[in-house]
Amino acid sequence: LTTAENARISIVAVRNPGAVASELVEIRNNGTAVVDLAGWSLQGAGGNEYVFPPLRQLFGGGSITLFSRMGEDTAIALFWNRQQPAFTRGETIILSDNRGQVQSVFTVP
C-alpha cells in the first residue's frame, strides 16, 4: 500500500500487542496544521477497525494515544473499549483518512 503524497499523520508506535490492558497505538501529526481526525480509521489485518469520533483534532507536532482497553476519552487519549487485544506481532495496521486514503502503514513489532 502506498500512503497519500502529503501524509503528515503517522503511526509511530504500537506497544504491548496481545495484552489488552496495556496495548496502545501512538499516532503523531508530523506537520504544522491542525488535522481533524473525525471519521478516520485504524484497521488491523484481523478485521478490527477503530473509527475516530467527531471533534477529534490533532495539533501540529502533537500526538494522540489509542488504548485498546476500556476507558474514557480525553484530549490526548482515546479508548477502543475492547475486551480482547486488537493486534498481534507482525501484523500490518493501516491508518486511513475520512475519504479512505491511506495515511500511514505500520507493522506491529
Side-chain angles (χ1 to χ4, degrees):
L1 289 168
T2 57
T3 56
E5 282 183 37
N6 58 352
R8 297 281 182 258
I9 309 298
S10 62
I11 300 165
V12 294
V14 174
R15 303 199 200 295
N16 307 312
V20 73
S22 57
E23 183 177 74
L24 64 87
V25 178
E26 185 181 344
I27 297 168
R28 182 172 299 140
N29 182 347
N30 298 306
T32 56
V34 175
V35 175
D36 184 358
L37 295 178
W40 285 46
S41 65
L42 185 69
Q43 297 168 310
N48 297 320
E49 181 179 32
Y50 175 84
V51 177
F52 288 81
L55 304 174
R56 184 53 57 187
Q57 295 183 333
L58 186 54
F59 290 89
S63 63
I64 195 161
T65 303
L66 172 62
F67 293 91
S68 294
R69 63 183 165 85
M70 306 288 276
E72 290 289 322
D73 291 351
T74 69
I76 59 169
L78 297 172
F79 293 86
W80 199 334
N81 294 324
R82 293 179 56 86
Q83 302 287 337
Q84 303 294 324
F87 308 114
T88 57
R89 294 184 189 283
E91 176 179 4
T92 298
I93 58 175
I94 299 166
L95 179 68
S96 300
D97 66 20
N98 58 6
R99 295 182 315 275
Q101 280 197 300
V102 173
Q103 298 294 316
S104 184
V105 178
F106 187 87
T107 300
V108 179

